Amino acid sequence: MSLSDLPGSLPERPVTDPALDLARTEGPTMALAEPVERVRSLWVTGVVLVNVGINAAFFGPLQVLLGQQAIHFDEGQKEAILALVTGCGAAVSMVANPLFGAFSDRTTSRFGRRVPWVLFGAILGVVALVALAGAPNVAIMTILWCLVQAGCNGAYAAITAAIPDRVPVPQRGAVGGLAAMGQTVGILAGAVIASVVSGNFALGYIVCAAALMAGVVLYLFKSGDVPLVPEARPPFKLWTFVKGFWISPVKYPDFAWAWLTRLLVNIGNHMVTLYLLFFLKDAVHLEETQGLKPEFGVLILTGLYAVMVIITSVVGGAISDRMGKRKPLVIVSSIVISIASLILAFEPTWTGAIAGAVVLGIGFGAYLAVDFALITQVLPTALDRGRDLGVINVANSLPQVIAPAIASVFVVFWGGYVSLYVAAAVIGLLGAVFVVKIKGVA
């Protein structure tokens, strides 16, 4: 059975946006129309592979290669170098994702709105990764990693927006789940690349670059991306363009609640995973009790977590399509994520850690798929899908900055790992509670 055979009726939705009226009457401006034709497996495969390539290019360096390069420059300052490089890269990612998404919204290329930016982002990322292999100092290393972040986020913003552009609402859970699976497979691929090159970080960067370029090829040739006619695009005014990144929570409350819930769930998830190495060492006493090094324990837990994310992202998305509902599954998956935090808090053993990783993967995989589908249904306008999803993606990046600040306070001053994981559970539950506030989606 192909994805296009999944059940679900297509709801008739009233058109109120003038740009959408134009899209209904002029073929090329179908770029702005609500999609009604179910996408085929080949198209979905292209989207999945782009996600695999982008995440391999992200996480191979983040997990291992950047750290090895930092040691190469100055082993005594490796922590400070890594913090500088990754911190600058994270800052770039928070700006690049919505910015490139907005650029793609306005693109009138005959190849479509998204394809040019997937291609440009991939080329920028590939060139920067290859150059990173020969970076002569920390300053150049930092600049090049920022360019990798810019390129990969540009491609990611475009491919994410392609889903609501092309996929009808009754199929979005399944496609969103497969895209989330691609992200997780990419993370694992990055880890495999970093381990296979055995300390040769220069070779690792080149292999990551090859994975990124290979990942986008099928989509570039089979995108079916519909061009936007210039008449459907409003005139460019700098202040209007900049102001557009603020999406009023008063005017679009469902979008605001969706952004907040994603932020909270991601903060809770990052708080769980951030100090996992130290948790296994200092609370579980893994080496003393099990004879396993904490680093190997992290690898085992990450593998279990990833496998469950892959399974439940696909299954959860398909179930939400069959139900025709998003909110109940988002709420349930958020609660499951919180339960994982509580398992770690009150069962600080190797068995408890394994159970926590499995439960966390179950909850987070389903959450990724179903929440993405929900978000695509609360986007303010079809004309700005790329920009608005980029704003949503800030709720994925910002927790990388917020979570460490919160987590360190709990670990050092407020009760250690028990209080840390209880706090993570509470924050995740708040995310579940606020989903109820979303009124426009069942």
Side-chain angles (χ1 to χ4, degrees):
M1 183 178 73
S2 71
L3 286 174
S4 57
D5 297 324
L6 291 173
S9 59
L10 293 169
E12 292 294 327
R13 296 181 63 179
V15 176
T16 57
D17 189 327
L20 290 179
D21 286 328
L22 182 63
R24 293 294 189 188
T25 58
E26 296 192 20
T29 53
M30 285 298 290
L32 301 179
E34 184 68 25
V36 295
E37 184 177 344
R38 303 178 78 82
V39 293
R40 297 291 180 178
S41 298
L42 188 63
W43 186 88
V44 178
T45 302
V47 171
V48 170
L49 289 176
V50 174
N51 278 280
V52 172
I54 290 172
N55 282 277
F58 268 142
F59 287 95
L62 278 172
Q63 290 171 323
V64 177
L65 303 178
L66 290 172
Q68 290 176 342
Q69 193 167 21
I71 293 171
H72 168 74
F73 285 127
D74 188 342
E75 185 166 5
Q77 296 293 320
K78 60 182 182 295
E79 294 88 355
I81 293 171
L82 187 60
L84 171 67
V85 174
T86 56
C88 290
V92 168
S93 74
M94 284 193 286
V95 175
N97 205 295
L99 184 63
F100 282 109
F103 288 160
S104 73
D105 288 334
R106 297 185 56 82
T107 297
T108 56
S109 162
R110 67 187 182 89
F111 299 105
R113 290 196 289 172
R114 313 304 177 190
V115 163
W117 294 99
V118 171
L119 178 60
F120 170 77
I123 291 173
L124 178 58
V126 166
V127 171
L129 280 165
V130 172
L132 196 55
N137 54 52
V138 174
I140 300 300
M141 175 186 175
T142 304
I143 292 169
L144 289 171
W145 178 243
C146 287
L147 290 176
V148 173
Q149 285 278 5
C152 288
N153 273 280
Y156 183 66
I159 200 65
T160 302
I163 295 177
D165 283 349
R166 290 290 315 277
V167 181
V169 169
Q171 199 183 7
R172 278 187 202 163
V175 175
L178 289 165
M181 178 198 72
Q183 293 171 24
T184 307
V185 171
I187 293 170
L188 291 174
V192 169
I193 291 170
S195 63
V196 166
V197 298
S198 300
N200 187 343
F201 63 82
L203 177 60
Y205 286 134
I206 292 170
V207 176
C208 285
L212 173 57
M213 202 68 241
V216 304
V217 170
L218 178 60
Y219 178 76
L220 294 178
F221 286 100
K222 296 293 182 180
S223 71
D225 202 356
V226 181
L228 176 71
V229 295
E231 293 81 5
R233 182 183 65 181
F236 180 79
K237 296 179 181 177
L238 180 59
W239 176 239
T240 302
F241 180 79
V242 172
K243 190 170 63 174
F245 291 99
W246 168 252
I247 300 169
S248 170
V250 175
K251 190 174 181 181
Y252 301 107
D254 281 356
F255 182 89
W257 286 117
W259 189 93
L260 180 60
T261 57
R262 174 161 283 210
L263 178 74
L264 290 170
V265 171
N266 275 291
I267 289 173
N269 188 58
H270 280 290
M271 287 172 66
V272 170
T273 59
L274 181 65
Y275 286 117
L276 191 56
L277 176 65
F278 301 151
F279 172 73
L280 294 179
K281 182 177 184 296
D282 300 330
V284 175
H285 304 292
L286 186 62
E287 193 157 8
E288 294 87 343
T289 59
Q290 303 295 323
L292 295 173
K293 288 192 175 296
E295 293 83 357
F296 186 60
V298 170
L299 181 62
I300 293 171
L301 297 181
T302 302
L304 290 171
Y305 165 83
V307 168
M308 299 314 301
V309 167
I310 290 169
I311 294 171
T312 59
S313 60
V314 176
V315 173
I319 289 174
S320 75
D321 285 344
R322 290 179 181 275
M323 291 174 57
K325 297 180 182 294
R326 312 294 186 197
K327 282 169 30 179
L329 286 173
V330 172
I331 292 169
V332 169
S333 59
S334 300
I335 292 171
V336 171
I337 293 170
S338 296
I339 291 172
S341 300
L342 295 176
I343 291 172
L344 295 176
F346 297 110
E347 187 61 28
T349 64
W350 180 231
T351 301
I354 290 174
V358 170
V359 173
L360 183 65
I362 291 171
F364 202 63
Y367 178 85
L368 285 172
V370 183
D371 188 63
F372 175 79
L374 182 152
I375 285 168
T376 64
Q377 293 176 241
V378 299
L379 298 177
T381 67
L383 187 62
D384 298 311
R385 286 170 180 148
R387 180 200 68 191
D388 297 341
L389 282 169
V391 172
I392 286 288
N393 284 329
V394 172
N396 297 333
S397 303
L398 193 57
Q400 298 175 33
V401 178
I402 296 174
I406 298 174
S408 63
V409 172
F410 281 99
V411 171
V412 177
F413 300 109
W414 290 351
Y417 292 104
V418 172
S419 63
L420 170 67
Y421 290 135
V422 169
V426 171
I427 291 171
L429 286 173
L430 286 175
V433 168
F434 291 142
V435 170
V436 178
K437 296 284 190 178
I438 298 172
K439 304 301 182 184
V441 180

